[in-house]
Amino acid sequence: MRRFFLLGLLVAAALLIGCPVDQNLEDIGNTNITIDDVKGEWDFKNVKIGTTTYEHVHLSILPPTTEWPNVAVDLHLGHDDAYDGPFYMGYGTMEGNKFTGKYIQQISDDNTDNTEYAFIVSFSLLDEKLRAEFDAEGPLKGLVLKYGIKSED
């Protein structure tokens, strides 16, 4: 009997070791998507970056056009019902649900940091809500946006 108990503990420990600690698999959603599924304007609420929480976050995902051959991923952050925080402008390519590119940070209208940072964004949809997980250098490192609602704009 004791052997079965120990075997059960070992199996449970092995299963727990294989599970990601910081991700709930139910909230990742469908990753079998493309630019056509996620293009547009998305709004998020109460997003924490570093030590700052932004009440209003807007993510734009724009497909390539004849004038601009890249996918654009832009992120606006703000407080008090306004986008008065930093603005990040990104460009790159998208294959499946993964965007790969570079971004720069605009701190205010007259202050742009022209340092380019590499980033990969993995998109997924759950109940028509967007999740965007950033694998990035610079200020967006580790950012995860959840439960984005497609805006009417």
Side-chain angles (χ1 to χ4, degrees):
M1 185 71 160
R2 185 171 183 221
R3 281 189 226 167
F4 290 117
F5 177 73
L6 291 175
L7 180 62
L9 282 176
L10 285 173
V11 169
L15 289 173
L16 289 174
I17 289 171
C19 293
V21 174
D22 61 344
Q23 291 182 346
N24 180 355
L25 295 179
E26 287 100 35
D27 77 354
I28 291 176
N30 181 13
T31 59
N32 187 21
I33 56 178
T34 67
I35 183 74
D36 292 327
D37 299 305
V38 297
K39 67 182 177 186
E41 308 295 325
W42 297 88
D43 293 313
F44 300 83
K45 297 284 183 193
N46 300 317
V47 173
K48 188 171 185 175
I49 299 178
T51 58
T52 305
T53 298
Y54 296 94
E55 289 82 18
H56 303 283
V57 175
H58 185 83
L59 182 69
S60 300
I61 305 167
L62 307 171
T65 65
T66 53
E67 296 85 29
W68 180 251
N70 295 301
V71 173
V73 174
D74 297 334
L75 181 66
H76 296 261
L77 305 172
H79 303 282
D80 301 323
D81 205 21
Y83 296 105
D84 55 359
F87 173 53
Y88 302 93
M89 299 169 280
Y91 66 93
T93 60
M94 191 151 168
E95 187 172 324
N97 74 319
K98 292 201 185 294
F99 168 88
T100 303
K102 305 264 185 189
Y103 74 93
I104 62 172
Q105 177 182 10
Q106 181 176 346
I107 299 164
S108 63
D109 288 341
D110 57 351
N111 185 0
T112 298
D113 176 1
N114 288 321
T115 303
E116 280 193 327
Y117 301 99
F119 73 136
I120 297 170
V121 185
S122 299
F123 295 104
S124 61
L125 289 169
L126 179 65
D127 297 329
E128 298 183 16
K129 294 187 172 128
L130 184 69
R131 175 186 170 100
E133 189 168 338
F134 290 68
D135 179 5
E137 298 172 351
L140 298 181
K141 182 177 183 174
L143 174 64
V144 178
L145 302 174
K146 295 181 182 180
Y147 312 115
I149 304 293
K150 198 156 198 182
S151 66
E152 300 297 320
D153 305 334

